Amino acid sequence: MGHIKPADPKIEDGWHVSHRHLTRFYEAYLAALRRVDVSNTDHLHRVHQYFHFYIEHLKDHHDFEEELLFPTLLKKTEFPHLASKQHKELLEIVGTMIRHFQKLLDDSGSGRAEHYDVLLKESEDLAVFQAEHFEEEETHILPLYREKVPHEEHKAVEKKFRRRGTLKARKFRLCGHIGGFKTEEDAEYFIGKLPWIMRKLVKSWRKDYAKKVTSLVEF
């Protein structure tokens, strides 16, 4: 039987970690949007930039599933296709939100409050949709994947994905992944299992990520 499980039981399954990271990242965006002063253009731009970082992580996560995980599973068995349909719906909602966010930024007058209300409603709806989507994958697809795909084959798939893209993209992806662990202690444990030179690099990358990304919504 092939089961996807970490070789080290203290290190979580990467799929769950990715879902948790996206959830936390989006929650931080939504919290910042709720408390932002719509008359403060600088803070609005920072939330807007943070939202685009969320989109970057979301698309990267979907690419991993659509281009590598799902095709790997399809070689073994049929699986519920609702997840792929939901990916498209998620991106359609995100596209609408991008347009409304731009209208909010472009309007410096009395219409800004109206654009903000529309965007906030869409953002709250997306939070619910994303949670339902993750539950669908973790309830119906992930258990099937664990049953059908041998651990070594999954490790090869993850390794292929980690090496995709530019160094900048890989650093961004890894920092996001580490941000999805349950606790900082778990994250430090994961980093501690890396080769010595990688540990130093990753710690530096995390500081840079916090400065350029996380700090955007710290106001």
Side-chain angles (χ1 to χ4, degrees), residues 26-218:
Y26 193 81
E27 286 173 349
Y29 153 75
L30 190 53
L33 185 65
R34 284 171 175 155
R35 69 175 180 268
V36 73
D37 179 351
V38 294
S39 65
N40 190 321
T41 302
D42 175 63
H43 283 182
L44 281 175
H45 276 287
R46 288 170 62 176
V47 178
H48 180 251
Q49 188 177 355
Y50 190 82
F51 179 57
H52 276 273
F53 279 129
Y54 159 77
I55 296 170
E56 193 173 337
H57 275 305
L58 180 68
K59 288 182 176 179
D60 198 53
H61 175 78
H62 285 180
D63 286 347
F64 180 39
E65 293 178 330
E66 295 283 353
E67 298 176 22
L68 295 172
L69 288 182
F70 292 172
T72 300
L73 181 57
L74 274 171
K75 293 176 184 176
K76 313 288 182 181
T77 185
E78 290 293 323
F79 76 96
H81 290 274
L82 179 60
S84 292
K85 180 175 180 290
Q86 288 177 339
H87 286 174
K88 294 176 182 177
E89 292 174 4
L90 266 168
L91 293 179
E92 287 174 1
I93 296 170
V94 166
T96 301
M97 289 168 63
I98 290 172
R99 291 191 291 274
H100 285 154
F101 216 137
Q102 194 58 53
K103 289 180 180 179
L104 171 61
L105 293 172
D106 291 343
D107 192 334
S108 58
S110 59
R112 179 173 274 192
E114 182 179 345
H115 293 310
Y116 170 80
D117 289 342
V118 171
L119 177 64
L120 181 59
K121 175 64 167 59
E122 291 173 339
S123 298
E124 291 173 338
D125 289 346
L126 180 59
V128 174
F129 189 93
Q130 178 174 263
E132 292 173 347
H133 169 65
F134 288 166
E135 183 178 5
E136 168 71 22
E137 289 188 336
E138 292 176 9
T139 302
H140 299 291
I141 300 178
L142 184 54
L144 187 63
Y145 192 96
R146 282 176 166 160
E147 177 187 348
K148 299 294 183 180
V149 180
H151 178 57
E152 289 302 316
E153 184 174 352
H154 176 67
K155 281 173 62 180
V157 170
E158 285 201 328
K159 184 176 181 180
K160 182 178 180 181
F161 182 68
R162 284 197 303 270
R163 294 184 173 182
R164 284 174 36 146
T166 63
L167 177 61
K168 180 180 178 182
R170 282 178 276 167
K171 287 164 59 177
F172 184 75
R173 181 184 302 133
L174 181 59
C175 288
H177 177 79
I178 293 172
F181 283 100
K182 282 184 179 178
T183 66
E184 181 60 24
E185 288 75 16
D186 290 347
E188 288 294 336
Y189 182 82
F190 172 81
I191 295 170
K193 302 295 286 185
L194 299 172
W196 177 79
I197 188 63
M198 276 299 297
R199 291 200 299 270
K200 293 194 69 174
L201 285 172
V202 168
K203 288 181 179 179
S204 174
W205 294 346
R206 290 189 79 197
K207 288 181 180 178
D208 189 54
Y209 183 89
K211 181 179 179 181
K212 294 181 178 179
V213 181
T214 311
S215 64
L216 286 170
V217 291
E218 293 175 349

